[in-house]
Amino acid sequence: RVDTVTEEMLRKMARAGCRVIRYGVESSSPVILENIRKKITPEQIKLAFKKTREAGIKTHATIMFGLPGETEETIRQTIKFVLELDPDYAQFPIAIPYPGTDFYKLVKANGWLKSDNWADYTGDCPIVEYPNLSREKIAAASKLALKKFYLRPRYILESLMKVKTAGEYKQLFKAGFNLLKNI
């Protein structure tokens, strides 16, 4: 969690061999972060990523599109935020309201849950639709964020320059091919 790491902890983790930390950023919107009771702020997110990089550890940001309070504007702001945060890696899955969670109870009670079929609970397509945000727009946000993050010329060039072995080239090209296939 971005609100629990300290410089000392990060230095110790780096010395112990930690190479990447995946942080659950979820959103850059303070309203959404409050809605999901994440108890973090965008400022804490920025500081944790900065300290992690300074400790020599790579960063991975995980964003969730389709959380309560999501709008087209919060999507745009979050994508911009992640690009400014500039983590080494990022993923942009679609939020899934699992039964028993407060998220599920909220979307079910408001009529926003569009499927009770377990086969749809994969994160590949949204099962939540808000009055101001369609399922299609949530799905498009995930793909747009992937494109904007991973298809930046600087990111591609830096990724290619970091490769040291033929196996790493193979892995990078396979990942790139899968990315293009899915967006």
Side-chain angles (χ1 to χ4, degrees):
R1 290 185 51 96
V2 299
D3 58 342
T4 62
V5 294
T6 64
E7 289 179 41
E8 179 184 357
M9 177 194 303
L10 291 166
R11 281 193 305 273
K12 287 179 179 180
M13 290 172 71
R15 281 196 308 269
C18 178
R19 297 291 168 248
V20 180
I21 296 179
R22 182 180 299 195
Y23 289 110
V25 172
E26 317 316 355
S27 177
S28 69
S29 165
V31 171
I32 292 173
L33 293 171
E34 184 176 318
N35 287 347
I36 63 172
R37 296 192 301 271
K38 189 73 177 175
K39 297 183 181 173
I40 61 172
T41 65
E43 292 73 27
Q44 288 173 303
I45 295 167
K46 289 177 188 176
L47 185 60
F49 275 74
K50 179 180 183 281
K51 288 180 178 181
T52 303
R53 276 192 294 274
E54 288 171 354
I57 300 172
K58 291 183 179 182
T59 56
H60 180 125
T62 301
I63 305 302
M64 290 287 225
F65 288 122
L67 292 166
E70 192 82 84
T71 66
E72 289 183 64
E73 181 58 27
T74 62
I75 288 168
R76 278 191 295 277
Q77 289 171 353
T78 296
I79 292 171
K80 182 180 180 209
F81 180 79
V82 172
L83 293 174
E84 291 169 358
L85 200 58
D86 198 26
D88 295 284
Y89 312 101
Q91 65 188 90
F92 305 92
I94 296 165
I96 303 171
Y98 291 108
T101 64
D102 288 343
F103 182 26
Y104 180 86
K105 292 171 192 168
L106 175 72
V107 297
K108 184 83 170 168
N110 285 287
W112 301 333
L113 184 66
K114 299 305 175 188
S115 176
D116 279 320
N117 181 353
W118 275 106
D120 295 335
Y121 281 65
T122 63
D124 293 333
C125 63
I127 57 172
V128 172
E129 181 168 271
Y130 299 105
N132 62 339
L133 190 64
S134 70
R135 293 163 59 167
E136 293 78 18
K137 287 186 178 178
I138 295 169
S142 180
K143 291 183 180 194
L144 176 65
L146 283 168
K147 284 181 197 176
K148 286 189 172 260
F149 185 82
Y150 284 105
L151 297 182
R152 295 174 291 162
R154 183 180 59 93
Y155 185 87
I156 294 168
L157 183 60
E158 286 176 0
S159 296
L160 287 170
M161 291 174 55
K162 292 176 186 174
V163 173
K164 294 181 173 79
T165 67
E168 288 175 344
Y169 270 116
K170 183 178 176 184
Q171 184 180 14
L172 184 63
F173 281 108
K174 185 177 177 182
F177 177 75
N178 286 334
L179 173 69
L180 292 173
K181 183 174 74 170
N182 291 316
I183 57 174

